[in-house]
């Protein structure tokens, strides 16, 4: 175990995989000489050189689809999306190529690749750079979607992602790169997909969340605990595949559920959780499933407006109380 | 009328090996022609659904190029892809079964006409999205370079793809990183119903592709001997120099854009233009040379045609009699 | 009133608008000389010429963003997406430009444009050409999303779309172009956005749907009626804005709801309906909200598999019975 | 080191109108320089958040081109956009207020540095997505042609945009339909930390853009007089001939890619290269000519600088004292 931040944990996973398998290579904008916009790949260009750590032109569709072709032939590309907002340009390559080639080839051509990078608001990056896109990807069959909240999860899940034989959407959060935690240094440490992690136990209400939402929820839980309300926090970690069993188990105990995410509320991923909980745990529910999510607006630049556009601890605490009322 | 200025070359038919090769070129083009004709029939019988794009008229391009490949090479194509797999030697039965959506098909009936795959024959897919195949092929060539292999990758697509942004992005990366990919645009003058001069600001496509730091040239895509000669040179260049190449093959399709096309000829091209191009039928041209030079006789050709018709008929029967995929197949192959 | 099919009703709306306002122009692949892949624009090139009816190169991002710029300066582009599956290539232009420019310019630059074309499965077009993408667009603020089910709705809603001052996602369905119905010929006939239409009344269960789902549901309703089950069918017509009031009113009567759509089930639009109904009509529900939706797989080519991948009347009837059980 | 070969031209300073114009060019460049310096201060004070890209070093490009526009013309730019709006005459107070996210800002605080808009001054937006501005500008020029107006549209972007597929698609359409758009690439040698030769297979960008059926040229972007002379000619050409034009302005940024950039100089470019380019500072060059030729005196320039500093200070004060947008603003302007 070593203490390190989320950013360094991701880098450690990359280093271990670059060392383990020569077919693993990194590609993305400014990941090399510039050391990465969020410095996740710092030092790797010097260590592995331009063949393994490739500075790409500003051509997201181009280098993503190139990675797809390379993956079909057995390489293991790990693509950095400088931010997932730029992933919007590569939707066709991701959703209509990477995700479908295995199926349309009748199982002949797996596409083992990872696309990773930050997604989410909170840095005043305004309308065009603040997307959380997990809902779009989770909606599209053929992809796995990973959203780690802690350094250890980030490392363990990224390792699993690179070992997986499918296209993996790996979403980091710009606001938690600096968060610290214990991280296993064992290069065999991996966290399986589709296994939620209960980050806090409690009896009164279940919060279902992932990524930054976990940290917000833990904060809210502290406040609530002072008022005698004990929430259980289920960190999904991967939303495709999704571990609904853990959610249902928790709801069977608490009878209340609140979903928390940064992404827009309307037709957001919270709706899927709500729909499943009410469908499969209808009789367990003492109150409707509530959603605490991003406001349905393009992200404003203004600091004060941005704060209003994203979920806060207060919003979560208020929703929990509403569910308990 | 945009027609190539490259003159068809005559063949050197000195050796018996060369004779056999010439006959094989013809055989492959004929197989494609007869196969496509059968597809058209099956489509009218509503056995083939969805979109069906036939390769009739363009056979020389695939056959000429693919004849020069080695086993470490790879091919990627757009949705008009039957010609590629047949030239690569895929089993016509499995191809036809795929077109009928049967479980014995190349892709277990899941891909269909636009999405053939045959890994054993080095075909890494037909793609339905304009531009898509260019990204895939660039990545396949990237792997060849990354692993320091000596293979090359052929990427076939239509003139309509010239306007896809992805092409520009991939050409730049291929040029930047010296990837061993040969981009072959089959310029058949039309993207669906839109003529080249209505979709491309520069109608010389070899010129349009000349600004990415690698060579490009225009060739006659109606003459298989000319295609083969050019292909030999281009493939050798790329295999040795390890850099991309762009080839504009001037060609023409003798059939509608898709088998369902009811506006052709008429709404976007004239019957006269079509007839004029049919005079350059790649099969007829090669046949004239072969027979004229005594490489093969008319009656031997007739025998060949009968054999091919039998192969195609057998493929049709096989496809007809094959089973549909079982219901469980729906949820298989989503994730590897 | 005139009897005409869905395709002709759309064309009629286009003709009326081309005649009314010279700023209206059509652009798309093969909409002119080729007469349109689904023949919606048949004859319009001959009638209006190449300035008003423009054959575009295969450059979806290009011509969509060009239309955005033209719209900002006061033109009224009506873009045809040959199929919405190709709209995936233009997601950035639609979601990160068209939808956000009004907001990020602080209200200075509206973007009045329509993007229309077929979306949905059923023609054996396989994995890359069979998308229903309404969920992605509904999730993205700044867009309005329209999915007409009948010829009259198609005409009335398309007119409203062209008069609107925002980017409009207008999704036709390839399987209903030939459906006939009465269509008002009055050029002032318009149907407002955000007003659902009850296509059938009933007391036992509410089906919430749109586009092809309406026709399937009407078929299912006939079967169910024979068994004495009377369903109410709410055709949302537009999913953004959405008329949840009509849905809640119906559920208050029937106490059961089933959502039907072609799009993938997981994180699909049905989840939003389910989430809202359980949240705002929790006490009205006698059973969970159920979803009848597309299978979560890339669309297979095979006819038999494709049939299994999309909702059928039988699926709907079975879901209604489950809700009533 | 890639440096332009175009030689700076000296000015003809015969008339008092011309003198006033020269002084105005200098004044605008100085306003941009001082404004950007103030932005940097405000960023360090954490008053400006998000991404902040300064125009220091590149002032001659915007100022030279924009000086030649008429009121029916339009401008669209990428995210490094302060220079464009200031050259177009936007109120520095409203610009600074926008950067501080205040309700008095150009976009009510919703856009921020990368997304300035000023319709009254014909600025149709800064865009944060590489390539995005090219589509918008092409559409704006499409409208000018569609309505048969005689305006032209300037579109500014960086060398990194050359690799965006959207550029290729738009250049083709602009060439195909003869749109009156002038694409100006500010080639400052780097896309963030990636040097031109590492991102572009062809480093002569004018050549790269030469295959779409419209003219292209390289100009010296460090010399405002040279830019102005070229701009006059190019704009006249496009206004009259109604066809697109591509201009590669060779320039250099004297500051990091973004104000937060901690790797520059050092990780991707050298201090020496930076210093060498700083010797070609567009302000210093013009100043030398103006003073040398007696167009303006050193002390008049000092007065000008004082005035501009006062304007910038006033803008900073205005921005500081302006109110944040009210909470209700969050849900306003989503739909028109
Ligand atoms: C991105 C995208 N846009 C549109 C289409 C629809 N489409 C299929 S084929 C075609 C024409 C392509 O013409 P070309 O590339 O010249 O190939 P050809 O059919 O002539 O062989 C079009 C527009 C598509 N498949 N993908
Ligand atoms: C589609 C997209 N990809 C990546 C980025 C991130 N990014 C912002 S600026 C930039 C470099 C652009 O360089 P250039 O175009 O040369 O302009 P300059 O900054 O030199 O003025 C990059 C990669 C982006 N904004 N949009
Ligand atoms: Mg073609
Ligand atoms: Mg640059």
């Amino acid at each position: 175990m070593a203490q390190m931040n989320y950013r360094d944990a991701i880098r450690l996973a990359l280093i271990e995989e670059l060392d383990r398998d020569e077919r693993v290579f990194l590609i993305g904008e400014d990941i090399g000489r510039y050391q990465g916009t969020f410095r996740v790949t710092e030092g790797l260009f010097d260590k592995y050189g331009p063949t393994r750590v490739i500075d790409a032109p500003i051509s997201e569709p181009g280098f993503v689809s190139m990675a797809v072709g390379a993956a079909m032939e057995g390489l293991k590309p790990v693509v950095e999306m400088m931010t997932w907002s730029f992933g919007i340009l590569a939707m066709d390559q991701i959703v209509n190529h990477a995700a479908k080639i295995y199926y349309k080839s009748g199982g002949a051509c797996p596409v083992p690749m990872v696309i990773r990078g930050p997604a989410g608001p909170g840095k005043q990056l305004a309308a065009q750079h603040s997307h959380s896109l997990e809902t779009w990807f989770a909606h599209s069959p053929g992809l796995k979607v990973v959203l780690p909240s802690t350094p250890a999860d980030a490392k363990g899940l990224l390792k699993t992602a690179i070992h997986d034989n499918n296209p993996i959407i790996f979403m980091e959060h710009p606001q938690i790169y600096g968060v610290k935690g214990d991280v296993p240094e064992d290069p065999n440490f991996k966290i399986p997909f589709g296994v939620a992690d209960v980050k806090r136990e409690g009896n009164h209400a279940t919060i279902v969340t992932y990524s930054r939402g976990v940290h917000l929820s833990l904060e809210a839980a502290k406040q609530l605990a002072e008022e005698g309300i004990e929430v259980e926090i289920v960190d999904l970690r991967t939303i495709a595949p999704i571990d609904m069993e853990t959610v249902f188990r928790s709801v069977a105990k608490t009878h209340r559920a609140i979903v928390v995410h940064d992404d827009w509320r309307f037709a957001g991923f919270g709706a899927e959780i709500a729909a499943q909980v009410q469908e499969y745990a209808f009789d367990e529910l003492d109150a409707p499933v509530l959603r605490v999510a991003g406001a349905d607006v393009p992200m404003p630049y203004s600091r004060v407006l941005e704060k209003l556009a994203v979920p806060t601890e207060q919003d979560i605490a208020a929703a929990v109380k509403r569910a308990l009322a | 009328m945009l027609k190539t200025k490259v003159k068809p070359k005559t063949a050197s038919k000195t050796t018996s090996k060369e004779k056999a090769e010439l006959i094989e070129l013809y055989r492959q083009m004929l197989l494609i022609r007869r196969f496509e004709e059968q597809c058209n029939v099956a489509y009218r019988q509503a056995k083939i659904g969805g979109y069906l794009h036939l390769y009739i008229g363009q056979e020389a391009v695939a056959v000429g190029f693919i004849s020069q490949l080695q086993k470490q090479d790879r091919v990627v194509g757009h949705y008009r892809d039957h010609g590629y797999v047949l030239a690569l030697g895929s089993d016509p039965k499995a191809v036809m079964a795929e077109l009928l959506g049967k479980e014995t098909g190349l892709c277990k009936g899941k891909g269909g006409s636009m999405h053939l795959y045959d890994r054993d024959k080095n075909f890494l897919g037909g793609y339905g999205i304009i531009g898509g195949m260019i990204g895939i092929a660039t990545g396949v060539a990237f792997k060849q370079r990354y692993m320091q292999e000596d293979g090359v990758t052929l990427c076939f697509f239509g003139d309509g793809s010239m306007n896809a942004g992805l092409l520009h992005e991939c050409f730049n990366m291929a040029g930047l990183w010296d990837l061993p990919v040969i981009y072959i645009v089959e310029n058949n003058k039309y993207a669906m119903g839109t003529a080249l001069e209505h979709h491309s600001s520069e109608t010389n496509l070899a010129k349009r592709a000349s600004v990415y730091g690698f060579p490009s040239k225009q060739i006659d895509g109606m003459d298989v001997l000319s295609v083969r000669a050019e292909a030999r040179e281009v493939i050798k260049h790329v295999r040795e120099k390890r850099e991309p190449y762009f080839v504009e093959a001037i060609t023409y399709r003798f059939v509608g854009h898709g088998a369902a096309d009811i506006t052709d000829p008429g709404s976007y091209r004239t019957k006269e233009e079509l007839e004029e191009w049919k005079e350059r039928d790649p099969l007829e041209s090669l046949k004239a040379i072969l027979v004229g030079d005594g490489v093969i006789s008319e009656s031997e050709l007739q025998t060949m045609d009968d054999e091919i018709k039998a192969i195609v008929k057998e493929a049709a029967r096989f496809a007809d009699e094959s089973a549909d995929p079982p219901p469980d197949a729906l949820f298989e192959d989503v994730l590897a």
Side-chain angles (χ1 to χ4, degrees), chain A, chain B:
Chain A
M1 284 287 184
Q3 267 274 319
M4 66 180 78
N5 66 27
Y6 187 86
R7 170 191 289 112
D8 295 338
I10 293 167
R11 188 185 311 112
L12 181 57
L14 294 175
I15 289 172
E16 287 177 8
E17 292 302 308
L18 283 162
D19 287 340
R20 182 185 61 85
D21 184 351
E22 62 154 12
R23 295 171 311 148
V24 173
F25 70 94
L26 315 186
I27 186 167
E29 290 155 7
D30 292 297
I31 63 167
R33 297 164 182 92
Y34 192 77
Q35 314 297 327
T37 310
F38 285 91
R39 311 192 78 70
V40 171
T41 56
E42 189 167 6
L44 302 189
F45 181 83
D46 294 339
K47 188 160 183 210
Y48 298 97
T51 324
R52 308 284 304 279
V53 180
I54 305 172
D55 279 326
I58 309 177
S59 303
E60 287 83 1
F63 61 79
V64 169
S65 64
M66 199 187 80
V68 175
M72 287 168 68
E73 282 287 88
L75 298 189
K76 291 286 234 163
V78 181
V79 179
E80 176 171 303
M81 217 25 90
M82 190 183 275
T83 104
W84 270 104
S85 288
F86 309 148
I88 304 179
L89 284 88
M91 286 311 287
D92 177 69
Q93 285 66 45
I94 299 170
V95 169
N96 217 3
H97 287 86
K100 297 204 174 120
I101 286 173
Y102 188 63
Y103 196 83
K104 77 191 187 78
S105 69
C109 294
V111 181
M113 66 187 282
V114 178
I115 313 181
R116 52 152 290 275
K123 297 263 177 193
Q124 271 195 274
L125 298 181
Q128 295 194 311
H129 286 61
S130 300
H131 293 86
S132 310
L133 293 174
E134 71 269 18
T135 309
W136 283 5
F137 293 114
H139 182 52
S140 308
L143 300 174
K144 297 186 180 179
V145 184
V146 186
L147 296 124
S149 66
T150 67
D153 285 356
K155 186 190 174 201
L157 291 165
L158 183 52
K159 300 271 296 184
T160 304
I162 298 175
H163 287 248
D164 199 283
N165 219 4
N166 295 284
I168 312 293
I169 305 300
F170 193 91
M171 295 181 149
E172 301 157 13
H173 201 293
Q175 286 193 66
I176 54 183
Y177 277 127
V179 167
K180 290 206 161 151
D182 279 331
V183 176
E185 283 169 301
D186 173 6
N188 294 317
F189 165 69
K190 288 195 282 178
I191 295 175
F193 289 167
V195 180
D197 187 40
V198 176
K199 288 280 193 296
R200 184 186 198 282
E201 293 192 16
N203 295 310
H204 297 126
T206 300
I207 297 180
V208 184
T209 187
Y210 46 83
S211 190
R212 188 179 80 100
V214 173
H215 301 277
L216 285 178
S217 301
L218 286 167
E219 283 304 313
K222 273 192 226 160
Q223 292 176 24
L224 290 164
E226 285 171 20
E227 302 178 44
I229 302 170
E230 296 297 334
V231 294
E232 181 144 307
I233 299 176
V234 178
D235 180 356
L236 292 172
R237 300 201 290 201
T238 65
I239 60 170
I242 189 166
D243 174 8
M244 285 304 296
E245 289 319 308
T246 299
V247 175
F248 296 146
R249 211 177 307 123
S250 182
V251 171
K253 179 168 75 172
T254 66
H255 309 295
R256 279 152 179 99
I258 295 95
V259 196
V260 177
H261 59 59
D262 276 334
D263 199 2
W264 293 304
R265 175 190 176 95
F266 192 71
F269 194 74
E272 178 63 29
I273 305 285
Q276 288 206 35
V277 171
Q278 65 90 39
E279 180 165 356
Y280 302 110
F282 192 70
D283 295 330
E284 297 289 356
L285 282 176
D286 287 346
V289 183
L290 299 180
R291 293 179 278 168
V292 179
D296 290 313
V297 302
M299 190 59 68
Y301 163 72
S302 145
R303 196 168 307 176
V304 297
L305 293 184
E306 187 187 41
K307 283 230 178 73
L308 294 173
V310 299
T312 63
E313 298 95 286
Q314 289 72 37
D315 296 336
I316 298 170
V320 169
K321 288 187 203 165
R322 243 189 314 134
L324 286 163
Chain B
M1 182 179 191
L2 288 155
K3 213 185 275 186
T4 176
K5 273 159 219 117
V6 183
K7 281 270 153 289
K9 293 169 189 152
T10 55
S12 97
K13 296 155 295 282
T14 45
T15 67
S16 68
K17 177 163 168 289
E18 172 64 3
K19 281 185 186 173
E21 280 179 22
L22 292 177
I23 293 171
E24 179 58 15
L25 291 176
Y26 185 80
R27 208 194 57 78
Q28 287 189 11
M29 293 201 295
L30 189 62
L31 173 63
I32 296 172
R33 179 70 56 94
R34 296 288 176 246
F35 187 91
E36 296 294 62
E37 287 165 355
Q38 173 57 34
C39 288
N40 208 11
V41 170
Y43 185 84
R44 311 279 150 219
Q45 295 169 333
K47 289 178 181 174
I48 297 177
Y51 290 143
L52 176 70
H53 309 89
L54 304 178
Y55 201 57
I56 294 178
Q58 304 180 207
E59 295 91 343
V61 184
V63 169
F65 258 98
I66 289 171
S67 71
Q68 299 306 304
L69 293 182
Q70 300 177 4
K71 68 172 186 316
Q72 70 276 38
D73 299 330
R74 299 286 182 272
V75 180
V76 179
H78 66 162
Y79 52 88
R80 193 182 296 284
D81 57 358
H82 309 177
Y84 313 131
V85 288
L86 292 173
L88 281 162
S90 295
D91 180 352
K93 295 205 292 294
V95 183
M96 190 62 83
E98 186 60 32
L99 305 186
L100 268 68
K102 299 301 180 74
E103 66 169 343
T104 54
L106 272 185
C107 309
K108 305 184 196 160
K110 286 178 168 171
S113 167
M114 298 193 287
H115 306 128
L116 301 175
Y117 284 80
D118 193 343
R119 279 208 99 123
D120 292 340
K121 301 294 177 187
N122 291 326
F123 189 65
L124 289 168
Y127 292 85
I129 298 297
I130 296 295
M133 52 282 171
I134 298 174
I136 303 298
T138 304
V140 170
F142 177 89
K143 182 261 184 174
Q144 289 168 325
R145 179 165 194 97
Y146 186 92
M147 298 304 280
Q148 302 182 20
E149 299 163 355
D150 79 336
V152 307
T153 300
L154 301 189
C155 179
F156 293 98
F157 49 88
D159 47 292
S161 278
M162 292 302 295
N163 307 313
L166 189 60
L167 171 141
H168 175 77
E169 299 188 355
C170 289
F171 280 20
N172 181 53
M173 292 187 301
L176 206 51
W177 299 325
D178 292 328
L179 307 182
V181 55
I182 301 168
Y183 298 113
I184 301 156
V185 65
E186 303 198 37
N187 178 2
N188 62 8
K189 317 295 185 304
Y190 296 92
M192 206 171 265
T194 302
L196 184 62
E197 62 269 28
H198 291 134
H199 74 67
S200 183
S201 55
E202 166 59 67
T203 52
N204 182 321
L205 302 181
K207 176 171 171 208
R208 224 180 126 175
S210 69
V211 293
Y212 301 94
F214 55 83
S216 70
K217 66 159 62 159
Q218 230 176 29
I219 71 167
D220 179 359
M222 296 305 277
D223 173 35
V224 72
L225 299 183
S226 160
V227 173
R228 185 179 63 153
E230 299 280 10
R232 186 179 294 144
E233 223 172 78
V234 167
I235 291 170
K236 183 168 186 288
H237 177 103
V238 173
R239 196 182 306 288
E240 288 168 7
K241 295 263 172 59
R242 309 314 282 165
E243 67 167 353
Y245 215 114
F246 177 87
V247 176
E248 176 185 3
I250 307 283
T251 182
Y252 202 79
R253 67 171 150 71
F254 294 170
V255 290
H257 168 75
D261 201 334
I262 53 169
T263 58
D264 174 58
S267 96
Y268 66 89
R269 62 175 181 178
T270 63
K271 206 170 154 39
E272 291 68 40
E273 179 183 295
L274 175 56
E275 290 310 320
E276 210 183 309
W277 276 90
K278 278 190 174 167
E279 282 162 28
R280 303 202 51 223
D281 188 326
L283 280 90
E284 293 306 316
S285 315
L286 182 57
K287 186 175 177 178
I289 293 171
L290 294 185
V291 175
D293 292 0
V295 175
I296 194 168
S297 70
E298 288 273 9
S299 78
E300 283 169 314
L301 281 176
Q302 188 55 54
T303 310
M304 184 196 288
D305 199 6
D306 291 343
E307 281 165 14
I308 284 174
K309 281 180 177 153
I311 290 169
V312 169
K313 205 172 157 192
E314 167 61 10
R317 188 202 56 76
F318 175 82
D320 275 343
E321 293 175 7
S322 289
D324 285 319
D328 284 354
L330 182 65
F331 292 102
E332 288 163 7
D333 305 322
V334 177
L335 290 169

